[in-house]
Amino acid sequence: MASAKESYRAELRAAARQLGERCLYSAAKWAAELLVGIDMDAAPAPSAAMDSPSSSSAASAGRLLHLHRSGGSSFRHRLRPGGGSSSEAGTPLGGVSYVSTPIPDDDAFDSGGDKYLLAKTYFDCREYRRAAHVLQNQAGRKAVFLRCYALYMAGEKRKEAEMIELEGSLGKSNAVNQELVALERELSTHRRTGSIDSFGLYLYGLVLRDKGCEGLARTILVESVNSYPWNWSAWSELQSLCTSSDILNNLNLKNHWMKDFFLASTYLELKMHEEALKRYERLMGVFRCSGYIQAQIATVQYSMRDLDEAEMIFEELLRTDPFRVDSMDIYSNLLYAKESLTALSFLAHRVFLTDKYRPESCCIIANYYSLKGQHEKSVLYFQRALKLNRKYLSAWTLMGHEYVELKNTPAAIDAYRRAVDINPRDFRAWYGLGQIYEMMGMPFYALYYFRKLSYLQPNDARLWIAMAQCYESDPLQMIEEAIKCYERAANSNDTEGIALHQLAKLHAMLGQSEEAAFFYKKDLERMEVEERQGQNFVEALLFLAKHYKSIGSFEEAEHYCTRLLDYTGPEKETAKNMLQGIKRLQSGFPSMDIDHFAL
C-alpha cells in the first residue's frame, strides 16, 4: 500500500508542475489538491504533527470518516475504515490492476527555455497574442502547445468581446472563435505526422468540440488521456461529450487509476448515483483527505435527496477549508431546499468576504435573496454570475425559477432554453419549460418538454405527475393517459403520495369503483404509516365506507364509518346516517322510505 501511495504522490507532483508550466491552471490545481489528499501511512509524532501543514486536514478527514461510519444511512454503513491490511486501500478499487503510464520528461523535446518563460509570463498576464508571437519559431512540443493554446485563448477573448459588443453581456450571439480553423489545420497536421503530445491532443479535442465534431473530439480526447492521464481538464471535456451510458461504455480507455475519478464524475452527471457513490467510497481508501472527493460525495447525497447526510459533509468541508468556494453553490442549493435561512445567510456572508466576484459566490448570494423572497435582487446576482461565466448552467436554470416567481414568463423561457443549450441533460430546465407552458394553458407544449425529460429521468415521480396533470387539464381531458402517468409515478417512489390519491379519484370519476377502492386503500395505508391526517384521509375513509356498503360488505363499511366519527364536520353526520342504514340492513327491516308504503 505504501509503495502505491508513493507512486500516486510522485505522479501527481510531476503532473501539478507540468500542468502549471503549460498554463492549465485548473488541472494543476486539481492535481495538487488531490496530492495532499492522499492518506498518510502512519500518524506522525506529536512534534512532527505540529509542524506539518497537512496535519489539521488529515485529522479533520478522520472526523469526517468517523461521522460517515457512525450514522444509520446506507452510505455510512458501506464506507469501510481504511485499515493498513485492507487490499482495497492499496489501490482505489480493490483487486484492480492498473496500467503504468510513464511520466514524460519536458526537457526531452524542448529548447528555447528563456523564450518559453517569457511567453508563459505573457500568458499569465492574459496577453495571449504576445505569448503566441514569442513562440512563433519554436519547434518543441511544449512550445507548440503553449503557442496554439495562447491563440485559442486569444480567439475566445475576442469572441467574448464581440458577443458583448453585439448583444450585451447576457445576449445571444453567433460570434465564433476565429482561430479554430487555423488551429484545426495545424493540430491535425501535427497529429498525422506524430509530432503532437497529449497536451496538443487535448487542445485539438477542444477545437473539434467547439466546431461541433463531437465524435472525433471524443476520439482525440481519449488518445490524450490514455497518453497523459493526469490532465483533469481533458477528462472533464471528455465527460461533457459523454451524454449517455452507451457512449461512456464504448470509450476505449486504459485502466489507469485516474479513470476511476472520471467514471465516478460521469456517473454523477448521468444520474447513476449509486454507481458514483460506490466509486467515490472506494477512492476514499487512498485519497482520504481529498476535499474534492468529499464534495463529490456530498453532491451525490444531495442528488439522492439525502439532505442531512450531504449537509454534514459540506459543514465538515467548510471547517477544514473555511475559504473554499468550489462546490459551495451546491451547498447553498441544499440549504435553500431545507429552508435554512440562517445557515444560508452565514454561507453567503462567508463567500462574499472570500471572493465576491466568483460566479459561485454570486449564485449563493442569489439563493439567499430568493429564500428571503427578494426575487428582484436574486435575479440581479444570477445575472452577475452569468456575466462572469456565461456557461454557468445552474445560474441560468435558477434565474428561470426566479423569473417564474416574478411572473416574467418570456424571460423565464429564455433562461431555461439557454440552460438546455448548455447542457441538454439538465433536468430542472426541461421541467421548468414544461411547467411554464402548463401554467400558460398550453398542455401540448408542456407535454413536449415533459416527454423529452422522460428519456433523461424515467424514474422521477414528479415528472410523471406533471404529465398526468397536463392530460387531466380541460383542453385535453385524456383521463386514461393521465391514469397511466400516475401509475408510473406511483411505481417511481412518489414520496408525496399524490399519484395514489389521484388514481383513486380518476377511477372513481370513471365509475370504476373496485379500482378506486384499491387505490384509496393503498393511499390510506400510506398516510397511516406516515401519520398524516387531512382532507385526503377523510375523503378516502368516506369513499371506502360508501363502497363497501354498496357491495354489501357491512362489516368493512361499519369500520370506516366508525373512524369517520372522530372527525367534525359534515363527514361525521354522513357517517352516522350510514351507520344507521347499515344497522337497519343488518337487522332485516326495510328502509323508512315513503315509497315503501305507497298503495
Side-chain angles (χ1 to χ4, degrees):
M1 180 178 71
S3 61
K5 288 182 181 178
E6 282 306 315
S7 173
Y8 298 152
R9 288 191 183 99
E11 292 175 31
L12 288 168
R13 282 191 197 105
R17 177 178 56 80
Q18 292 167 348
L19 291 162
E21 287 175 354
R22 288 168 174 81
C23 303
L24 296 171
Y25 301 119
S26 294
K29 169 186 163 184
W30 191 90
E33 288 182 345
L34 198 63
L35 171 63
V36 299
I38 297 176
D39 188 27
M40 303 300 290
D41 292 320
S47 59
M50 292 175 65
D51 296 333
S52 171
S54 63
S55 60
S56 62
S57 63
S60 178
R63 289 199 303 273
L64 179 62
L65 285 173
H66 171 72
L67 288 169
H68 286 172
R69 292 196 295 268
S70 63
S73 74
S74 58
F75 167 62
R76 290 164 172 160
H77 282 306
R78 285 199 299 267
L79 195 58
R80 297 288 182 265
S85 60
S86 171
S87 63
E88 290 194 5
T91 57
L93 292 178
V96 176
S97 177
Y98 292 111
V99 297
S100 177
T101 304
I103 303 171
D105 183 3
D106 286 341
D107 299 326
F109 335 104
D110 290 354
S111 58
D114 294 341
K115 284 194 172 183
Y116 187 90
L117 183 60
L118 176 60
K120 183 181 181 305
T121 305
Y122 286 150
F123 193 104
D124 292 343
C125 295
R126 294 172 58 85
E127 298 183 57
Y128 302 122
R129 293 202 182 274
R130 289 188 79 188
H133 179 73
V134 168
L135 297 173
Q136 198 165 12
N137 298 317
Q138 301 297 310
R141 296 184 183 183
K142 187 174 175 182
V144 167
F145 166 76
L146 188 59
R147 176 175 57 78
C148 291
Y149 190 36
L151 286 172
Y152 176 82
M153 292 302 296
E156 287 294 297
K157 187 177 179 180
R158 181 58 197 151
K159 182 181 79 172
E160 287 291 325
E162 286 180 9
M163 293 171 81
I164 293 172
E165 290 165 5
L166 295 173
E167 300 291 341
S169 58
L170 297 181
K172 290 185 178 180
S173 172
N174 295 324
V176 296
N177 187 334
Q178 299 295 332
E179 303 294 334
L180 294 180
V181 175
L183 285 172
E184 182 186 14
R185 188 185 307 117
E186 179 177 354
L187 292 168
S188 63
T189 301
H190 286 310
R191 178 172 178 255
R192 194 163 52 249
T193 59
S195 58
I196 195 170
D197 64 359
S198 59
F199 300 101
L201 288 170
Y202 159 64
L203 181 57
Y204 188 23
L206 282 184
V207 170
L208 290 169
R209 181 209 62 188
D210 289 352
K211 293 195 70 179
C213 306
E214 294 189 356
L216 183 56
R218 270 194 299 270
T219 302
I220 299 301
L221 288 169
V222 167
E223 289 181 23
S224 176
V225 297
N226 280 343
S227 60
Y228 190 90
W230 305 280
N231 181 3
W232 183 245
S233 293
W235 288 109
S236 298
E237 293 300 334
L238 182 59
Q239 175 186 310
S240 71
L241 297 172
C242 294
T243 54
S244 70
S245 56
D246 291 336
I247 293 175
L248 178 63
N249 294 333
N250 288 326
L251 296 179
N252 186 22
L253 296 169
K254 288 184 179 178
N255 200 31
H256 190 272
W257 55 267
M258 280 289 293
K259 177 183 173 184
D260 294 328
F261 284 95
F262 165 72
L263 289 176
S265 181
T266 309
Y267 287 152
L268 174 56
E269 182 67 23
L270 295 176
K271 312 297 182 186
M272 301 166 65
H273 298 129
E274 288 292 340
E275 293 85 346
L277 195 55
K278 288 175 184 176
R279 291 271 173 178
Y280 283 128
E281 287 171 4
R282 292 177 180 176
L283 285 164
M284 286 284 280
V286 171
F287 302 96
R288 180 161 306 181
C289 305
S290 168
Y292 166 78
I293 296 179
Q294 292 165 18
Q296 289 294 95
I297 289 174
T299 304
V300 175
Q301 297 288 0
Y302 168 70
S303 300
M304 296 173 69
R305 312 304 296 169
D306 191 350
L307 302 185
D308 293 336
E309 183 80 23
E311 184 177 15
M312 178 197 69
I313 300 173
F314 278 126
E315 286 175 354
E316 186 65 32
L317 269 175
L318 277 178
R319 275 193 287 272
T320 60
D321 191 357
F323 301 103
R324 181 187 183 94
V325 179
D326 294 337
S327 304
M328 289 300 108
D329 52 338
I330 308 288
Y331 184 31
S332 75
N333 293 340
L334 182 155
L335 295 174
Y336 185 95
K338 295 187 72 174
E339 299 184 2
S340 302
L341 183 60
T342 303
L344 185 52
S345 172
F346 178 75
L347 178 64
H349 184 70
R350 171 177 279 187
V351 297
F352 182 84
L353 294 177
T354 301
D355 188 352
K356 66 179 180 180
Y357 293 116
R358 280 277 294 270
E360 296 91 339
S361 299
C362 295
C363 191
I364 292 166
I365 296 168
N367 275 338
Y368 166 70
Y369 281 120
S370 177
L371 190 57
K372 287 188 71 177
Q374 300 180 22
H375 301 295
E376 293 88 352
K377 276 193 173 181
S378 180
V379 167
L380 177 65
Y381 275 95
F382 281 129
Q383 288 174 342
R384 287 184 183 178
L386 291 165
K387 287 176 183 177
L388 295 165
N389 180 4
R390 295 169 64 94
K391 294 185 178 180
Y392 189 11
L393 174 66
S394 185
W396 283 114
T397 305
L398 295 174
M399 189 166 70
H401 296 346
E402 295 307 303
Y403 280 130
V404 171
E405 293 290 339
L406 293 170
K407 296 182 170 50
N408 188 344
T409 303
I413 290 174
D414 180 65
Y416 288 138
R417 284 182 173 160
R418 298 286 286 274
V420 169
D421 289 342
I422 295 169
N423 182 3
R425 297 187 59 83
D426 184 41
F427 172 89
R428 295 177 301 174
W430 286 115
Y431 190 76
L433 282 168
Q435 279 196 315
I436 282 181
Y437 282 109
E438 184 183 3
M439 289 188 301
M440 292 170 65
M442 303 168 71
F444 282 112
Y445 283 90
L447 284 169
Y448 168 79
Y449 291 109
F450 288 142
R451 286 196 191 102
K452 282 252 185 187
L453 191 53
S454 68
Y455 294 105
L456 300 177
Q457 289 196 210
N459 298 319
D460 193 291
R462 295 169 297 173
L463 164 64
W464 294 107
I465 289 170
M467 288 181 69
Q469 289 169 347
C470 284
Y471 283 121
E472 275 188 275
S473 62
D474 290 335
L476 299 186
Q477 282 294 302
M478 299 170 67
I479 304 302
E480 293 292 342
E481 293 298 321
I483 286 174
K484 291 177 184 176
C485 290
Y486 280 128
E487 286 174 348
R488 286 290 299 266
N491 293 328
S492 300
N493 191 26
D494 174 27
T495 54
E496 297 180 15
I498 296 172
L500 287 174
H501 184 72
Q502 289 300 115
L503 280 168
K505 288 182 70 172
L506 292 180
H507 280 296
M509 184 191 304
L510 295 175
Q512 300 168 352
S513 298
E514 287 294 334
E515 291 83 353
F518 172 79
F519 287 111
Y520 269 126
K521 205 166 185 177
K522 287 192 72 174
D523 194 33
L524 198 63
E525 290 170 358
R526 178 193 63 81
M527 288 187 282
E528 287 172 343
V529 169
E530 297 175 3
E531 297 182 351
R532 291 189 183 183
Q533 299 285 330
Q535 189 56 40
N536 288 356
F537 198 89
V538 173
E539 184 181 326
L541 290 174
L542 191 58
F543 180 88
L544 289 168
K546 290 179 179 178
H547 170 71
Y548 284 115
K549 180 186 175 185
S550 67
I551 62 174
S553 296
F554 298 131
E555 189 174 336
E556 290 277 354
E558 191 173 352
H559 167 72
Y560 291 112
C561 285
T562 304
R563 295 182 66 178
L564 279 168
L565 295 177
D566 295 333
Y567 295 87
T568 58
E571 299 86 4
K572 184 173 183 178
E573 293 302 317
T574 304
K576 283 181 180 179
N577 294 334
M578 288 178 66
L579 282 170
Q580 290 174 2
I582 290 169
K583 286 178 181 177
R584 283 196 297 271
L585 290 170
Q586 286 176 325
S587 63
F589 288 107
S591 63
M592 296 299 291
D593 188 357
I594 193 168
D595 293 336
H596 179 74
F597 298 97
L599 297 175

